[in-house]
Amino acid sequence: MITDDDLDDLNVQDRQLGDLAADMREHGRSWADIAHDLALPEAAVKHAVDQAHQRAAELAARDQIALF
């Protein structure tokens, strides 16, 4: 049976994977190379990167609000 702690761990791993994939992409790696290195389908990698960028944008927006 999957517990809440297991789900939390999976969510953290998903975020870390997305952040890693986004970093690899920003360093010029191709989608195919990233997918190969992470042993994931290319579509999953693209989705993970999109989520990482969304989290970064939300964090930046919260930081801006905190400044005012």
Side-chain angles (χ1 to χ4, degrees):
M1 182 170 186
I2 294 178
T3 66
D4 287 341
D5 288 339
D6 293 335
L7 289 176
D8 289 341
D9 289 344
L10 289 173
N11 287 333
V12 167
Q13 290 174 354
D14 286 346
R15 284 190 303 270
Q16 291 173 337
L17 187 65
D19 291 344
L20 175 60
D23 187 52
M24 293 170 79
R25 185 67 180 160
E26 289 172 9
H27 284 91
R29 302 287 304 276
S30 72
W31 290 115
D33 285 345
I34 297 168
H36 178 266
D37 288 351
L38 299 179
L40 292 170
E42 198 170 312
V45 170
K46 289 179 180 180
H47 181 71
V49 169
D50 287 343
Q51 288 180 325
H53 287 152
Q54 181 65 33
R55 282 192 310 277
E58 290 170 0
L59 182 60
R62 277 185 256 142
D63 286 347
Q64 286 295 328
I65 292 170
L67 293 175
F68 293 103

